[in-house]
Amino acid sequence: MVDMNTWFSIQQLYADYASALDSGQWDLWPEFFTEQCVYKLQPRENFERGFPLCTLLLTSKGMLKDRVYGIQETLYHDPYYQRHVVGAPMVRKVEDGRIHSEANYAVFRTKFDKESTVFNVGRYIDTIVQTPDGFKFAERLCVYDSEMIPNSIIYPI
Amino acid sequence: MREQAIHWETDGTSRVPFAVYTDEDRHKKELERFFYKNHWSYVGLEAEIPNAGDFKRTVVGERSVIMTRGNDGQIHVVENVCAHRGMQFCRERHGNKKEFVCPYHQWSYSLQGDLQGVPFRRGVRQDGKVNGGMPADFDPKDHGLTPLKVATRGGVVFASFDHAVESLEDYMGPTILQYFDRLFNGRKLVVLGYNRQRIPGNWKLMQENIKDPYHPGLLHTWFVTFGLWRADNKSELRMDAHHRHAAMVSTRGSAGQATGQAAQVTQVSSFKESMQLNDPSFLDIVPEPWWQMGDKMPTAVMMTLFPSVIFQQQVNSVSTRHIQPDGHGAFDFVWTHFGFEDDTPEMTERRLRQSNLFGPAGFVSADDGEVIEFSQQAFETKPEHRMLVELGGRDVGETDHMVTETLIRGMYAYWRKVMEA
């Protein structure tokens, strides 16, 4: 469906994304997306039952930047580390240069003085496009199995 | 019950002992007195079970219950405990069934919980004799699923284990009922979806969070900066006669810096004068006709219905928030966002975008869960201590401003009356 180089670039995009989010440098996050992007964090229950509600619904790169500002300046929270483990991407189809691919993910959370716990588990359902700056997410939908959010989700998945 | 002794420093409730949040036996007494007797609990929306045979599994207090729609269109709520060996047989969270069958011994029940079938009830005939079977006086009518009393209003479903409970309308009282009817005014509701979070704190803290108009303009930068909820907004605090339920009513003021005397409200560290949204569509607010109440047009009405639910209107975002206790130190908090049947696609989009402010990742709600967790952590370490809720005085009464903790004092006045009886 895609050639080796393309597949390698997709793999690299996923790895770079996970690495950026685990670094805690939140300003890096919006740069993985196009200007008109869609980022959704949605419970599997809503996704499968056709309910549109998301835990986070951001429909432009500007909104992602506003979320970053919220994380840094406005949302009071217990600080934590997060660690993403992302499975191999599965390319579902390529249409008009848009690559539709998916990957499983698990995010572990570690709070100060606490053990590491499984925080959020699910799959990414993505639309990736080529831009002058390389591959970017036109859409990233994070559909999570985790039935109960352990209190709150502050940082991006 | 052998709950730890509790010491109130005063006759009133302006100093709440930490021990009200830390004791498992006291928690069980609360379940008994607030969730299982004399009170109504929220179970869901009619829109969640539109068709005959539809069901939704949920809880009243800590007990598992099933809300169903019978073939006659009536809504029933039954306890999810098989009459035979007590198994919580219903594992799906929603679906459609003609009957309920407990897989353990295949006892079957109608949608309203009547026992219909008991395998081998009359024994098993073998070699000319009948082996076993239920006793001759076994009457299926005596062994249905425990039915709850059900009340619906405006598309919202409540249930009670106590069949002698007062009517839902009397339970809410006229003051709260008018705010309830404003939101649930008869239009069909449309479910937009759910968010579920587990908050490691005592369930009462969530009621208190929505009876505390002091914190939103301080903890929540978005509220103070964009004028959504601020101490200088035109507001009212209302209660029922028992002071157990409340409505916090507020009308959005100006965004940005306040001037003159009102400037105190924006001299707080959470106010971000220079904050500009890259994408203002988070706050694409369009007033709706139903907001109107007399000559007022509240932009936010936060209702606490004791003990189980919060009804939210924050501008165009409307939701129910179901409090589901699990022991004294944690509760599950289930958000059901909805819209109305006559919403345009643009209004639905707007409600969904504004929901970014609420829920477990919300710009103004995520930190509510966090502060509840950190409060509970402190309570556990020194239950002999107490908190202070004296803003606006030490008494209980309705106000035309939000610089007061009177609603929390009111809730604990009711709590003391019931728990000390």
Side-chain angles (χ1 to χ4, degrees), chain A residues 41-124:
Chain A
L41 175 66
Q42 191 179 38
R44 179 169 174 168
E45 173 183 22
N46 291 349
F47 179 76
E48 291 186 348
R49 294 179 69 182
F51 292 131
L53 186 75
C54 295
T55 307
L56 275 176
L57 168 64
L58 308 175
T59 51
S60 68
K61 190 169 171 179
M63 279 184 153
L64 271 70
K65 289 181 174 167
D66 291 331
R67 182 68 189 178
V68 168
Y69 184 83
I71 293 166
Q72 291 169 330
E73 301 290 336
T74 81
L75 272 163
Y76 175 66
H77 63 280
D78 222 3
Y80 59 94
Y81 301 128
Q82 55 179 10
R83 184 68 51 196
H84 287 66
V85 178
V86 180
M90 295 163 283
V91 176
R92 297 294 190 196
K93 62 176 177 181
V94 182
E95 248 174 24
D96 306 327
R98 295 164 74 85
I99 300 166
H100 298 266
S101 90
E102 297 181 15
N104 289 337
Y105 71 82
V107 183
F108 299 89
R109 182 178 73 174
T110 311
K111 286 188 171 189
F112 298 143
D113 309 314
K114 297 279 166 62
E115 68 277 25
S116 300
T117 56
V118 178
F119 180 54
N120 193 269
V121 174
R123 68 178 158 135
Y124 294 124

